[in-house]
Amino acid sequence: MVNWIESPPLVSSINKNDAAIERLKSVQSWTILKNKKSDFIFVTRKQLINWSTLSKLTSISQMPRHVFCTKDGLAQCLEYYKNSVTNLMFPRCHYIRSEADSEAFVEDYITTALVSTLKIIVQAIENNKVIFTANGNIPYTIIDFVKLCIFKFLNKQKTGSTETDMWKFKNQKKLWNEFMIYYSKLIIDSNAKFDHEYIYELELDVYAKCKYLLGEVKTYCPQHYIDGITNTWIIKPTSNCSGHGIMLSRDLHTITRKITVADVFRKSCILQKYIERPLLIYTCKIDLRQWFLVTNMSPVVVWMYKEGYVRFCANSFSMKKTDESIHLSNVRLQMKYRKIRNPQVPEECMWNYSELQDHLRKIGQEYVWDELIFPGMCESVYAVLQAATDTTIHRDKTFQLFGADFLITENFIPYLIEINSTPGLNPSTSVIANLAPVLLSDIVKVTVDYEKNSKADTGLFVMVVPEKCKPAAAKVPVDSGKPIDSSAVYAVGPPALTTGYNQRMASMQKNLAEMRVQMVAKKTERDARRYVGVNRDLLLRNRNLI
């Protein structure tokens, strides 16, 4: 029984006589079936189900309760996974409910800004860009400040120190505001330079120390790859959908104003780190809508669909602008920009998975879909469902279709963004119009046919099997077409402290010395010609002494 649908299906036109016969058949069928309890109910909203009169034998398409389909619910559901070893890729979120939550976000924001400064310095020097000049617009002391703060951060992480002086942002607003002003200049002004005369030794020393600290901090900032250098965050209303009310910002004061009203936390927004290094196709950002079907939550049984659609942003990606046509790929939003889109982007700003796989083959990445992207999506979805088992109410003979949104990074890693409980199937594009009827047919194959016969055809649905449930010797054949599914989740504690403070300092100095030697060895004649100081010739003759 289908008692409510959001939009009419696409049907071929029929003449009046055929239509009359169809209506007569419907009346006759209703006469026979009107007093019979439904065996199978498919609806897209659980409010349409009369739970009090529902038979235990009736299959229904709505789970009674789940928390992972709201933005704040998903963030809270995955909160305990922050310190776990898992293949779940989810941009870190902050749900601001209290002063402690706000302070945690500010600490994350400031730490990200400090690490981003290291990245800017290292990238500039590696790209042979001069960032030191006697009349620079950024104080050189900012570099020393950043190195000191990062060192304190590392010491706190490695030793479990309770030192909090550097994180008392409210008591040091002037200091941090000054840092943020100069950090913003580094982001915005491509010609920004530190006010110090260029000296070869100085550049070498700054590079070696910043490179070392950047390598050390990656252990404690696992999402450093997606962070980029602009410290951009995305502010999402918890209750809206279709891209309504979403905004991007890298300014702390703007973000604070957005999440508070008269100094009271709104609790209607979440803050999520924006992924600054997405996979681009024709210079434009994309994301994926992945359908999955849950048929049990105790234990978790989930089926991933092997087809889906790829949404394009209409205009070329840039972190210097925050336009929605560049960053928000929602279908409703991008419809407004189809006429002014990048000419290489498809007319409807959409592909199916097959077209994406064709593109990956053309750019020499024919293996990443089967080896990274699809298995990664499987692992993330399974991990979310595992995390939600304690907060989900499940009923036997119940299933539900969900739509997960994934963003792919430039190194082909899928990051889960959010999960939708009522993924739109209305034919707003030709891609969805072609996929939806097959998807609905395959849902019946899984929920009706497979339930009666485990060897039945399940269409394009494949069951996700966690690694811990697979036989030890089991291998997925290369030509089987089945994805490498999920992996087990193991919780771990903080890394053990194996060295004392003096030992760590000695190790750091040794690493710095080695890096200096490596840098000297790699310096080319082009680097040498850049130095114009009075002691240039002397330095060049004595490089081995540095």
Side-chain angles (χ1 to χ4, degrees):
M1 179 182 73
V2 179
N3 61 5
W4 188 84
I5 53 176
E6 291 184 1
S7 59
L10 295 178
V11 295
S12 58
S13 58
I14 58 177
N15 59 43
K16 292 183 179 180
N17 291 334
D18 290 340
I21 293 173
E22 286 297 321
R23 286 196 295 272
L24 180 60
K25 288 181 178 178
S26 296
V27 170
Q28 293 171 338
S29 299
W30 179 245
T31 302
I32 299 171
L33 298 173
K34 65 180 180 179
N35 294 320
K36 177 177 172 57
K37 289 284 187 181
S38 300
D39 299 310
F40 186 96
I41 299 176
F42 189 97
V43 294
T44 55
R45 298 175 190 264
K46 58 175 169 279
Q47 294 88 339
L48 298 169
I49 298 173
N50 188 340
W51 297 91
S52 61
T53 61
L54 192 64
S55 169
K56 292 182 178 180
L57 300 178
T58 301
S59 292
I60 58 173
S61 64
Q62 290 291 305
M63 292 164 55
R65 182 176 179 266
H66 45 72
V67 300
F68 50 82
C69 288
T70 61
K71 297 174 180 66
D72 55 323
L74 180 61
Q76 293 178 59
C77 176
L78 299 178
E79 190 169 352
Y80 297 105
Y81 273 56
K82 289 181 180 178
N83 298 317
S84 299
V85 174
T86 170
N87 288 329
L88 170 66
M89 296 296 182
F90 181 66
R92 60 191 183 279
C93 286
H94 292 271
Y95 180 44
I96 312 299
R97 298 152 291 184
S98 64
E99 189 68 29
D101 292 333
S102 178
E103 290 176 357
F105 166 70
V106 172
E107 181 173 334
D108 190 350
Y109 178 90
I110 292 291
T111 304
T112 304
L114 292 167
V115 176
S116 297
T117 306
L118 291 179
K119 291 180 181 179
I120 293 172
I121 294 171
V122 168
Q123 289 175 12
I125 295 176
E126 288 180 343
N127 291 327
N128 201 37
K129 179 181 177 182
V130 177
I131 58 173
F132 301 104
T133 181
N135 58 348
N137 56 352
I138 299 176
Y140 176 81
T141 53
I142 289 295
I143 296 179
D144 292 330
F145 173 76
V146 170
K147 290 190 294 187
L148 175 63
C149 291
I150 291 293
F151 184 78
K152 286 186 176 181
F153 169 78
L154 289 171
N155 189 56
K156 181 179 178 181
Q157 297 297 320
K158 291 181 178 182
T159 66
S161 169
T162 57
E163 179 187 14
T164 59
D165 63 313
M166 70 168 287
W167 305 120
K168 291 182 179 178
F169 304 109
K170 286 190 173 181
N171 300 333
Q172 303 179 24
K173 281 188 176 181
K174 184 178 179 180
L175 178 66
W176 288 108
N177 286 342
E178 182 181 7
F179 162 70
M180 291 307 302
I181 290 172
Y182 292 121
Y183 168 62
S184 298
K185 282 185 179 181
L186 283 171
I187 295 172
I188 298 170
D189 184 3
S190 58
N191 293 316
K193 291 180 174 59
F194 295 96
D195 64 343
H196 198 295
E197 179 186 1
Y198 174 81
I199 301 174
Y200 172 74
E201 292 174 305
L202 172 76
E203 181 186 64
L204 190 61
D205 186 68
V206 168
Y207 175 81
K209 288 180 178 177
C210 290
K211 183 77 171 180
Y212 170 77
L213 290 173
L214 194 57
E216 286 289 292
V217 83
K218 288 177 180 179
T219 303
Y220 306 101
C221 299
Q223 294 191 354
H224 66 90
Y225 182 85
I226 69 169
D227 284 349
I229 62 172
T230 70
N231 203 9
T232 299
W233 292 77
I234 185 165
I235 307 167
K236 297 181 178 181
T238 56
S239 56
N240 291 0
C241 59
S242 301
H244 288 288
I246 292 178
M247 67 173 287
L248 272 66
S249 180
R250 56 175 173 249
D251 179 68
L252 182 58
H253 300 294
T254 300
I255 296 173
T256 302
R257 287 196 301 270
K258 185 69 176 178
I259 64 174
T260 57
V261 176
D263 295 329
V264 177
F265 298 116
R266 299 177 72 172
K267 298 183 182 180
S268 59
C269 295
I270 69 163
L271 305 174
Q272 188 174 53
K273 184 64 189 70
Y274 186 71
I275 297 176
E276 298 187 29
R277 302 179 68 177
L279 175 65
L280 303 180
I281 297 181
Y282 308 133
T283 72
C284 295
K285 174 184 169 182
I286 63 165
D287 73 3
L288 277 56
R289 167 56 60 88
Q290 172 64 51
W291 290 307
F292 66 93
L293 184 69
V294 178
T295 54
N296 202 340
M297 283 296 291
S298 182
V300 171
V301 178
V302 57
W303 302 75
M304 296 286 282
Y305 207 56
K306 295 179 71 174
E307 259 294 0
Y309 55 86
V310 181
R311 297 177 291 203
F312 281 80
C313 288
N315 294 321
S316 296
F317 181 79
S318 171
M319 287 307 302
K320 294 183 178 180
K321 301 177 181 178
T322 57
D323 303 7
E324 64 181 15
S325 65
I326 296 174
H327 297 284
L328 305 180
S329 57
N330 183 273
V331 175
R332 183 193 65 82
L333 292 176
Q334 293 301 324
M335 286 178 67
K336 300 184 293 184
Y337 305 105
R338 289 179 182 176
K339 293 183 179 179
I340 57 171
R341 73 189 188 281
N342 179 325
Q344 291 181 292
V345 168
E347 182 178 357
E348 295 179 320
C349 295
M350 188 173 288
W351 273 350
N352 59 34
Y353 280 1
S354 299
E355 291 172 298
L356 173 60
Q357 292 173 63
D358 287 341
H359 174 79
L360 293 173
R361 279 191 286 271
K362 289 178 182 177
I363 64 173
Q365 300 292 344
E366 60 269 29
Y367 301 111
V368 298
W369 178 264
D370 290 326
E371 294 181 1
L372 287 176
I373 298 176
F374 193 80
M377 293 192 295
C378 291
E379 292 172 359
S380 291
V381 166
Y382 192 88
V384 169
L385 296 173
Q386 283 287 84
T389 52
D390 293 339
T391 56
T392 300
I393 298 176
H394 185 73
R395 169 190 175 275
D396 290 339
K397 307 285 287 186
T398 302
F399 63 93
Q400 186 163 346
L401 178 72
F402 297 93
D405 292 338
F406 283 91
L407 189 137
I408 312 301
T409 63
E410 61 186 15
N411 61 346
F412 306 107
I413 302 300
Y415 270 76
L416 175 65
I417 305 300
E418 60 183 51
I419 296 176
N420 298 272
S421 60
T422 53
L425 299 178
N426 55 308
S428 56
T429 69
S430 59
V431 174
I432 300 177
N434 290 329
L435 291 176
V438 182
L439 169 69
L440 294 170
S441 174
D442 289 346
I443 289 174
V444 176
K445 291 179 181 179
V446 173
T447 57
V448 177
D449 299 346
Y450 183 82
E451 184 180 3
K452 295 179 179 179
N453 177 12
S454 60
K455 296 182 180 180
D457 175 30
T458 57
L460 294 178
F461 277 110
V462 290
M463 185 187 294
V464 177
V465 181
E467 197 67 36
K468 62 184 179 181
C469 297
K470 295 178 182 178
K475 292 184 179 180
V476 180
V478 174
D479 60 348
S480 68
K482 296 182 180 180
I484 302 171
D485 298 322
S486 177
S487 62
V489 176
Y490 302 96
V492 297
L497 181 62
T498 57
T499 59
Y501 176 84
N502 293 331
Q503 289 173 296
R504 290 200 311 279
M505 284 296 295
S507 175
M508 183 183 74
Q509 295 298 334
K510 179 180 178 182
N511 289 337
L512 286 174
E514 291 175 353
M515 290 182 67
R516 284 194 181 94
V517 172
Q518 293 172 7
M519 279 293 295
V520 170
K522 292 179 181 178
K523 280 292 181 181
T524 63
E525 287 302 316
R526 180 181 61 180
D527 299 320
R529 286 195 297 270
R530 276 171 40 191
Y531 181 69
V532 294
V534 293
N535 295 319
R536 174 179 182 274
D537 293 336
L538 178 63
L539 280 174
L540 292 179
R541 285 197 302 270
N542 295 280
R543 278 186 177 185
N544 60 325
L545 301 178
I546 299 174

